[in-house]
Amino acid sequence: MTRSLQAEPAAVGEARSVVRRSLEPSDESLVALVVLLADEVVTNAVVHGQGPIDIAVDVDEVRVKVMVRDRSETAPLSLRAARYAEGGRGLSIVEAVATRWGVLGAHPGKAVWFEIDRASCA
């Protein structure tokens, strides 16, 4: 499932809905995990990227892959957030939880993707 979103805060909620619909019916722990990571990546695209934003969710028996594309060519940075900072942890969460993740050039712009192996949520 692919959807184009405006680069505005409402895009984050729309992306969560796209992920949930793409994963029906699936185990709730898998859905919650993929929604969390998609939320982080889309939030980064809204805050640091350039719109519009495209989200693609590819689901098969083995894994779930989510790709979020924006029109900024600036690569995302994984930061070490200050202890009480309200932001700055998105990519750190993706790095810690996703089975695989990365960034692709997608002229114009970039695409941040992650995968979750279904077996890791069983």
Side-chain angles (χ1 to χ4, degrees):
M1 175 180 284
T2 302
R3 178 118 180 242
S4 188
L5 309 168
Q6 295 300 313
E8 57 191 27
V12 180
E14 291 178 51
R16 287 191 295 261
S17 294
V18 168
V19 169
R20 282 190 182 98
R21 281 193 310 272
S22 297
L23 289 171
E24 289 177 349
S26 288
D27 178 70
E28 186 55 37
S29 62
L30 174 66
V31 174
L33 182 59
V34 177
V35 165
L36 169 69
L37 297 184
D39 187 290
E40 296 297 339
V41 175
V42 172
T43 297
N44 281 350
V46 169
V47 173
H48 303 290
Q50 295 174 351
I53 297 165
D54 300 317
I55 183 169
V57 182
D58 183 35
V59 180
D60 64 31
E61 300 81 28
V62 177
R63 55 110 181 109
V64 177
K65 182 175 185 176
V66 176
M67 185 172 295
V68 177
R69 179 176 179 253
D70 71 76
R71 303 317 185 261
S72 170
E73 294 187 7
T74 303
L77 298 174
S78 181
L79 304 173
R80 183 175 179 143
R83 185 174 186 171
Y84 297 107
E86 291 185 17
R89 293 179 184 81
L91 281 181
S92 295
I93 293 169
V94 173
E95 288 175 344
V97 177
T99 307
R100 287 168 291 285
W101 80 280
V103 181
L104 301 171
H107 186 71
K110 66 179 169 307
V112 178
W113 62 271
F114 65 87
E115 291 183 359
I116 299 292
D117 288 343
R118 285 177 168 268
S120 69
C121 292

